[in-house]
């Protein structure tokens, strides 16, 4: 069997493979972080365990639906609060904090920011809000 592929056909194939690998590469380049699964977070909430959920999505996305108990703070204001030494955030340094974004890629930067600021128990919601919705877990608009 002779597979004579035209060279121009290889570019789209390479592009598709690169795009498929991009989320994995992005996670590795941004560094190692701890992940919390949607099931773990759901159990923590059901058991009434203390957990701080920070949703870093845009205000309009947050308003369309979010995890119950989540607070909406985008990455810019989050960074400002940490840099100013906001007392509200100082109190959270030893609590369990879970960062939520759309798919989990943007959360990695927020986790790194918090870890650098001295937070000891911070993680990314694996799969982000998209996974939470796909797993049919409760969403609120309050």
């Amino acid at each position: 069997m002779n597979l004579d592929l035209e060279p121009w056909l290889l570019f789209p194939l390479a592009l598709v493979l690169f795009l498929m690998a991009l989320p994995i590469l992005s996670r590795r380049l941004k560094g190692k972080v701890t992940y919390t699964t949607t099931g773990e977070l759901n159990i923590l909430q059901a058991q009434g365990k203390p957990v701080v959920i920070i949703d870093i999505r845009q205000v309009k996305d947050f308003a369309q639906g979010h995890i119950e108990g989540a607070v909406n703070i985008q990455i810019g204001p989050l960074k400002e609060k940490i840099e100013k030494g906001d007392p509200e955030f100082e109190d959270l340094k030893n609590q369990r904090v879970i960062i939520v974004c759309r798919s989990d890629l943007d959360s990695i930067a927020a986790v790194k920011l918090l870890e650098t600021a001295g937070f000891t128990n911070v993680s990314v919601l694996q799969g982000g809000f998209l996974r939470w919705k796909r797993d049919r877990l409760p969403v609120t608009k309050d």
Side-chain angles (χ1 to χ4, degrees):
M1 177 185 247
N2 187 4
L3 292 176
D4 288 328
L5 293 176
E6 294 293 327
W8 62 271
L9 287 176
L10 294 176
F11 178 73
L13 177 62
L15 182 61
V16 167
L17 292 174
F18 174 75
L19 291 174
M20 289 173 60
L22 191 58
I24 295 166
L25 292 172
S26 179
R27 285 183 186 98
R28 288 186 185 229
L29 290 173
K30 289 184 178 181
K32 186 170 174 65
V33 295
T34 303
Y35 288 92
T36 299
T37 66
T38 55
E40 287 174 303
L41 177 54
N42 192 41
I43 290 169
L44 287 170
Q45 288 184 313
Q47 293 174 344
K49 300 267 173 103
V51 61
V52 177
I53 305 166
I54 300 176
D55 190 323
I56 62 170
R57 295 178 300 142
Q58 296 297 314
V59 174
K60 65 181 176 78
D61 297 328
F62 184 83
Q64 290 174 352
H66 56 272
I67 299 169
E68 188 171 341
V71 293
N72 185 227
I73 307 172
Q74 289 79 46
I75 194 95
L78 180 65
K79 186 175 183 179
E80 288 174 19
K81 287 178 180 281
I82 291 169
E83 288 172 351
K84 290 178 182 174
D86 187 323
E88 177 184 359
F89 278 86
E90 289 297 315
D91 294 341
L92 300 179
K93 283 191 174 181
N94 295 313
Q95 294 185 36
R96 180 149 190 194
V97 178
I98 299 174
I99 305 295
V100 179
C101 68
R102 183 177 173 274
S103 66
D104 86 10
L105 293 175
D106 293 332
S107 295
I108 296 170
V111 165
K112 290 296 182 188
L113 178 69
L114 292 171
E115 286 176 342
T116 301
F119 283 70
T120 58
N121 191 2
V122 61
S123 62
V124 171
L125 181 65
Q126 190 173 32
F129 189 69
L130 289 178
R131 169 91 43 95
W132 184 267
K133 280 179 44 178
R134 187 174 65 215
D135 290 347
R136 293 190 166 95
L137 294 167
V139 173
T140 186
K141 293 183 180 182
D142 61 2

